[in-house]
Amino acid sequence: AQSVAQPEDQVNVAEGNPLTVKCTYSVSGNPYLFWYVQYPNRGLQFLLKYITGDNLVKGSYGFEAEFNKSQTSFHLKKPSALVSDSALYFCAVRDLYSGAGSYQLTFGKGTKLSVIP
Amino acid sequence: EPEVTQTPSHQVTQMGQEVILRCVPISNHLYFYWYRQILGQKVEFLVSFYNNEISEKSEIFDDQFSVERPDGSNFTLKIRSTKLEDSAMYFCASSESGGYNEQFFGPGTRLTVL
């Protein structure tokens, strides 16, 4: 079974400061990890993914995430937050070895990011 | 930029009625999915569909649910007899392949069962 935990319901950060949104995961095999963002009344927008290779992955809108296998974490980061980054952020995982034809994503409950001007 | 579209954006129905939620996936994508999000809860997987058949489904996807790709562009989710607990936001998604490709999500249909 695969699972994702996002320990913070809300993260507040001042504009211009670095931001971190935390995610930890649990899978039986190797993980595929994803971050999505949801703006009000919009669908989930893909930000970035980790499949293999470099532990630091870069994505859209200046976001990046660091994969840490020993800590089973995949925290989302951005060096300088913008007010427009305020949204709901979801971490998701798929187990590489979940079986042929199994491509379902398991999501965390989401973290609301508020960037304060 | 291509995107997944869903109709309607909001559907209100009476308990026991049938509803069909519609999605148009990105045109060159081969894998299709439905997820749902009950208010205040996690996004949950319902079903995946490839090559005109269900490839995986969750325990939520019981006999009341069905999916269909009636033509080359639409992908539908039917709930045969809605229950109050089916009230949720339903998201359609698609991906180029089922491996490590990201899934692209539509804006969702909010289903309200009265």
Side-chain angles (χ1 to χ4, degrees):
Chain A
Q2 52 199 42
S3 66
V4 173
Q6 292 181 243
E8 302 153 317
D9 289 336
Q10 176 143 0
V11 169
N12 297 321
V13 63
E15 187 177 23
N17 282 2
L19 70 86
T20 299
V21 182
K22 295 179 181 177
C23 170
T24 59
Y25 66 90
S26 174
V27 295
S28 303
N30 289 329
Y32 290 160
L33 292 154
F34 303 83
W35 275 101
Y36 285 84
V37 60
Q38 185 179 33
Y39 296 99
N41 302 314
R42 300 285 298 276
L44 301 168
Q45 288 180 238
F46 169 74
L47 275 180
L48 51 79
K49 66 182 178 184
Y50 171 82
I51 304 300
T52 187
D54 195 346
N55 289 344
L56 184 66
V57 292
K58 295 187 184 297
S60 307
Y61 313 122
F63 284 93
E64 56 190 30
E66 186 165 13
F67 171 65
N68 186 318
K69 188 171 183 177
S70 63
Q71 296 186 4
T72 62
S73 68
F74 189 56
H75 300 332
L76 182 70
K77 301 182 180 187
K78 187 174 182 181
S80 178
L82 300 172
V83 172
S84 56
D85 293 330
S86 298
L88 194 55
Y89 289 81
F90 291 93
C91 181
V93 69
R94 179 169 97 74
D95 188 342
L96 174 60
Y97 298 118
S98 55
S102 176
Y103 305 121
Q104 65 173 284
L105 295 178
T106 297
F107 284 85
K109 61 179 172 56
T111 298
K112 183 179 179 182
L113 173 68
S114 293
V115 181
I116 302 156
Chain B
E1 185 176 330
E3 57 183 19
V4 177
T5 59
Q6 290 185 244
T7 54
S9 57
H10 192 189
Q11 173 96 44
V12 180
T13 190
Q14 296 290 325
M15 190 170 56
Q17 295 298 303
E18 175 184 285
V19 294
I20 298 176
L21 309 183
R22 292 183 167 79
C23 168
V24 178
I26 295 173
S27 61
N28 64 332
H29 286 186
L30 301 177
Y31 289 77
F32 314 113
Y33 314 85
W34 284 100
Y35 291 80
R36 79 173 185 190
Q37 185 180 29
I38 295 171
L39 190 63
Q41 298 186 25
K42 293 184 181 186
V43 176
E44 302 172 289
F45 170 78
L46 292 178
V47 66
S48 59
F49 191 85
Y50 169 70
N51 200 26
N52 277 321
E53 60 183 30
I54 291 173
S55 51
E56 187 179 22
K57 60 183 180 179
S58 70
E59 61 275 8
I60 302 168
F61 195 87
D62 61 21
D63 292 344
Q64 293 299 313
F65 292 88
S66 62
V67 288
E68 191 178 33
R69 188 153 163 83
D71 53 41
S73 59
N74 290 284
F75 179 51
T76 62
L77 174 70
K78 182 193 289 187
I79 309 175
R80 197 177 354 265
S81 177
T82 50
K83 309 184 193 73
L84 294 176
E85 55 266 35
D86 293 329
S87 295
M89 181 73 89
Y90 287 81
F91 293 107
C92 174
S94 67
S95 62
E96 273 187 64
S97 73
Y100 50 77
N101 288 117
E102 56 273 25
Q103 296 173 19
F104 289 86
F105 285 76
T109 292
R110 180 166 296 285
L111 176 65
T112 302
V113 183
L114 303 176

